[in-house]
Amino acid sequence: MFIRKKKNRSGSISVAAVVKRHGKYRELKIFGTATTDEEVSKLYAEAQNWLLTHGNQQPIDFDDERGRERDETIRVVDNMDAVLINGTQLLLGQVYDRVGFNRIPDEILRHLVIARVSQPKSKLATVAYLKSYYDEDVDLNQIYRYMDKLYNTQKEMVQQISVEHTREILGGKIGLMFYDVSTLYFETSKTDVLREPGFSKDGKTKESQVVLGLLVSKDGYPLSYSLYNGTQYEGYTIVPMIDDFKQRFNLGEDFVVVADSGLMNADNLRLLRDAKYKYVIGARIKSEKEGVKEEILSWEKKSGDFYEYKRENGERLIVGYSEARAKKDAYNRSRGVERLRKAYGSGRLTKDQVNKRGYNKFLEISKDVQVFISAEKIAEDEKWDGLKGYVTNTKLAADEVVAQYHGLWVVERAFRVSKGTLEMRPMFHFTERRIEAHVCICFVAYKVYKELERIIASTGIEMSVDKVLDIARTVTTIRVNMPHNHEFYTKTLFLSEQQKAIKPLFDLANFEED
């Protein structure tokens, strides 16, 4: 709004208050015409006074305002440079930094880890995903070169960062270490120094595989991992890995190793004792000496009670009973026996049935073999329903020993998430260094996944990690070009109620621990 002096055809000058909208001038008030400079100055002063006292009180032309709003909107939209579906990148990037992985000076690891958690794909498909959703240009050859670098120089740093962060969130010490082994298969039968066929936990009998040993802390935070040849007996992996882990990260003696009975034999237990490690191990109570078995079976079964047997080497055998476990044992046995009855109802084991069982195809039988289901063996097995044994050299109370052993589910879940959600396997790499690098990327991805899970719980958002990530995948960021400023303006949009519910997770700079 301004004062305009306009010269007329007659030579007089008109003075008016004028507003310019959409390129057109409109007169709000005419103050008169004048023929002398003195008259013009007088009208101009009157107009100025009016503008100061009444100009802001003029009624708004809403039709005109809507037009201006429409023009502004069109201008902004026309200058939009990109719409990025980058909610997971923004969220997971902050978690990645919070753990400390940003200490590794390479953005390719960040991209690969975030993509692995957000949308696990092959390396080739990851390149397209990064460009389409995050507008990140990463060349496939760059990724392969980086994987070689990760194997050679950064694998140790990755585990160091994970251990340091885990120590911090657990109050300064590791305490419990859970160990287990799984297998990772390849969609090929080709073998080499690392890849060999072996006992597969995924039920893959023809494919080559590697054996993966994993150490996790209380609550399932990953600490360290090692890869072994696909034929490696899992029981031979636990002691070397714990020795290596203790030496690399200066653990001292203040930790307890927890592992399943499948990893244990007399030699392993002796090595653990000789190294002065504290441990809680699943026991094979049916393989105990006859005197011990008789004593266990003579014990009155009652949920919540524990039977203890002290060994000469300082170990304690603890046996607990659970009615729920007894019902489960009985149910599983009845199903198994029923399957046997259906399979061998004729009472004969045929040559065809033998040949269906792996290397039994090399066996030949001239006649059918007579078989029957032993009621005596079924009755003997029933005696052990509900009983579970644990071996430990700690001084913990029996219920604490059992509670620590039951924590093994965290490492089982680590394998389940890594192999399922993060799609660690099957693997399509064939060189040792890239196989190692692929596992390392998945290890970092699982650490980020676990830290996000912890943060979600701390903020009180009652959602799973997978649910949060599903919602984050719908969060978009608009990027607008500002040509006069030579800059871009970006804004992340939280529009739906679900998006608004997870918005606090996108501001982890202000996140404080409980």
Side-chain angles (χ1 to χ4, degrees), residues 243 246 252-255 257 269-279 393:
D243 286 341
K246 177 189 173 184
E253 305 294 338
D254 192 21
F255 62 90
V257 179
L269 288 172
R270 178 181 53 78
L271 290 171
L272 288 173
R273 287 194 302 272
D274 291 346
K276 296 184 172 20
Y277 294 145
K278 298 175 184 176
Y279 52 85
N393 61 348

Side-chain angles (χ1 to χ4, degrees), residues 45-64:
E46 181 184 348
Q48 280 187 315
N49 184 59
W50 179 90
L51 197 63
L52 291 172
T53 56
H54 298 89
N56 292 333
Q57 301 176 18
Q58 295 304 301
I60 297 173
D61 185 337
F62 286 102
D63 287 337
D64 204 45

Side-chain angles (χ1 to χ4, degrees), residues 300-343:
E300 183 181 357
K301 296 179 181 179
K302 185 179 178 181
S303 287
D305 286 352
F306 298 96
Y307 162 80
E308 288 199 32
Y309 175 80
K310 292 185 179 180
R311 294 174 174 167
E312 293 181 358
N313 58 19
E315 288 180 344
R316 297 152 60 208
L317 171 64
I318 298 172
V319 181
Y321 173 79
S322 164
E323 289 185 9
R325 185 186 298 113
K327 291 179 181 178
K328 182 180 179 182
D329 291 342
Y331 175 73
N332 289 340
R333 183 176 50 254
S334 66
R335 290 184 62 192
V337 170
E338 184 60 30
R339 283 197 297 269
L340 287 175
R341 287 198 175 101
K342 288 181 179 179

Side-chain angles (χ1 to χ4, degrees), residues 128-152:
Y129 175 77
L130 290 170
K131 180 61 180 175
S132 298
Y133 287 82
Y134 305 156
D135 197 29
E136 301 285 359
D137 289 305
V138 181
D139 183 73
L140 182 61
N141 289 324
Q142 279 183 291
I143 291 177
Y144 287 142
R145 286 195 298 271
Y146 175 73
M147 292 180 75
D148 294 339
K149 177 182 176 181
L150 175 61
Y151 168 79
N152 288 328

Side-chain angles (χ1 to χ4, degrees), residues 253-445:
E253 305 294 338
D254 192 21
F255 62 90
V256 177
V257 179
V258 184
D260 186 61
S261 60
L263 295 168
M264 286 298 111
N265 52 42
D267 289 338
N268 277 344
L269 288 172
R270 178 181 53 78
L271 290 171
L272 288 173
R273 287 194 302 272
D274 291 346
K276 296 184 172 20
Y277 294 145
K278 298 175 184 176
Y279 52 85
V280 173
I281 308 295
R284 297 182 174 124
I285 53 178
K286 295 181 184 179
S287 300
E288 291 289 335
K289 297 178 180 179
E290 287 301 320
V292 177
K293 290 196 294 184
E294 289 176 6
E295 194 170 341
I296 292 173
L297 293 177
S298 68
W299 169 58
E300 183 181 357
K301 296 179 181 179
K302 185 179 178 181
S303 287
D305 286 352
F306 298 96
Y307 162 80
E308 288 199 32
Y309 175 80
K310 292 185 179 180
R311 294 174 174 167
E312 293 181 358
N313 58 19
E315 288 180 344
R316 297 152 60 208
L317 171 64
I318 298 172
V319 181
Y321 173 79
S322 164
E323 289 185 9
R325 185 186 298 113
K327 291 179 181 178
K328 182 180 179 182
D329 291 342
Y331 175 73
N332 289 340
R333 183 176 50 254
S334 66
R335 290 184 62 192
V337 170
E338 184 60 30
R339 283 197 297 269
L340 287 175
R341 287 198 175 101
K342 288 181 179 179
Y344 308 112
S346 64
R348 292 185 180 278
L349 178 65
T350 66
K351 178 179 178 180
D352 183 55
Q353 288 169 323
V354 170
N355 287 347
K356 287 182 178 178
R357 283 164 173 75
Y359 290 107
N360 286 345
K361 63 185 177 182
F362 298 123
L363 299 177
E364 290 188 8
I365 54 176
S366 57
K367 296 182 179 179
D368 291 347
V369 178
Q370 188 173 1
V371 295
F372 62 93
I373 296 173
S374 171
E376 183 179 341
K377 288 186 177 181
I378 292 175
E380 181 65 26
D381 192 68
E382 288 175 347
K383 296 177 183 179
W384 299 93
D385 286 357
L387 295 171
K388 174 66 178 176
Y390 316 87
V391 174
T392 184
N393 61 348
T394 68
K395 296 181 180 180
L396 296 171
D399 57 344
E400 291 184 69
V401 170
V402 174
Q404 289 191 356
Y405 182 82
H406 286 176
L408 266 174
W409 70 270
V410 296
V411 69
E412 294 168 359
R413 180 173 183 262
F415 282 129
R416 188 165 62 251
V417 172
S418 298
K419 294 165 72 172
T421 304
L422 303 180
E423 296 186 14
M424 184 186 287
R425 57 82 173 112
M427 288 195 283
F428 300 97
H429 301 286
F430 58 90
T431 65
E432 182 177 353
R433 62 179 58 189
R434 289 185 183 172
I435 292 170
E436 284 267 13
H438 172 76
V439 173
C440 187
I441 290 166
C442 292
F443 177 87
V444 178

